[in-house]
Structures are given as structure tokens and as C-alpha cells.
Amino acid sequence: MKLNKYLQSMLYHWPAKVISLVFAVCIYLFIQYSTIGSRVVTIPLDVQLPSAYVASSLVPNSVEVQIRGNDDIIYLIDPNSIKASIDFSFVKREGIANAPVLLVYEENVFESGGISISANPSQYRILFTLQGVK
């Protein structure tokens, strides 16, 4: 009999309870996403080129990194703790090669969670020719 009483109290005015729950979730999500910001920093890019080939196109020396997360935290992150590299040492023939930008950072920098980093552009294309041939 008590179970029936609890079930009745839960189902009593159920549309109002469901609407209240939906509004509460919407308010929570709005507050969470309104405090998310973005910061763009430019950091040096370490490029490893193949020894047998020469880059005929522009080799980048820096990359833009976007740091996304809580506005209070993203400006506390030191851009020097993020290292960017790109490795073209796998190139075995002439032509255009693609390689992704790899971002490495100190683990304790992003302990707070909710922070993401991404490189812009996320990969580079470079034209390689044999050494001595242009």
C-alpha cells in the first residue's frame, strides 16, 4: 500500500515536474556553455624533414593553437608548455606529402578538465624534390 502512495505522489502533477526538470537542464547547459571561451596563441613548430629530399614549398616555422575551455582557466595556461611538431621523415619519393601537426603538453597543465587544444591548420602539405634538382 505504501508503494502505491509513493507512486501516486510521483505521478501527481507530472507535467509540471517534467517541465521543471527540462528548464533546470536548459539553465544548467546555458551557464556551462556561456562560460566557455577560446584563446588563440602562436607557438613555434618543430619540423623534421627527410635527409634525401629538399622542401620546394614553404616550410612553416609556427602554428596557431586554439585553447578552448572555461574563461577563468584558459588564460592561466602558459603557451610555452605546449610543444608543436610535424614529422616528414617518412617521405620516400618526390611529390607532395601530408603530415599532421602533433601537439604535446605537460599533463598537469590540463588537470582541471574541460580544456581542449587544437592546431590550426591541423596538417601541412609540403612539396619535396630530390636534393640538387629544382
Side-chain angles (χ1 to χ4, degrees):
M1 195 95 189
K2 278 192 169 189
L3 181 62
N4 192 15
K5 186 177 178 180
Y6 290 125
L7 186 60
Q8 283 180 345
S9 67
M10 285 178 51
L11 294 177
Y12 186 69
H13 292 302
W14 70 269
K17 291 177 182 178
V18 170
I19 291 172
S20 297
L21 179 64
V22 168
F23 279 138
V25 169
C26 288
I27 290 171
Y28 173 78
L29 292 175
F30 175 75
I31 290 172
Q32 287 296 320
Y33 287 111
S34 67
T35 60
I36 291 179
S38 177
R39 174 183 177 199
V40 177
V41 294
T42 302
I43 61 173
L45 181 63
D46 179 34
V47 180
Q48 295 176 348
L49 299 173
S51 58
Y53 296 94
V54 167
S56 295
S57 60
L58 181 65
V59 177
N61 59 3
S62 65
V63 66
E64 287 185 350
V65 174
Q66 182 179 32
I67 305 169
R68 291 183 48 90
N70 191 326
D71 274 336
D72 298 334
I73 299 172
I74 60 174
Y75 290 99
L76 298 176
I77 295 174
D78 181 17
N80 295 327
S81 65
I82 303 170
K83 306 294 182 208
S85 65
I86 191 164
D87 186 12
F88 284 103
S89 61
F90 65 89
V91 174
K92 301 293 182 206
R93 61 186 175 98
E94 288 184 312
I96 297 174
N98 293 330
V101 175
L102 302 174
L103 297 174
V104 179
Y105 49 89
E106 298 174 7
E107 293 294 328
N108 60 358
V109 173
F110 299 99
E111 280 178 357
S112 60
I115 294 181
S116 66
I117 61 171
S118 60
N120 185 21
S122 61
Q123 67 178 357
Y124 279 99
R125 297 174 56 156
I126 296 180
L127 173 64
F128 289 100
T129 57
L130 283 172
Q131 282 185 338
V133 178
K134 284 204 173 184

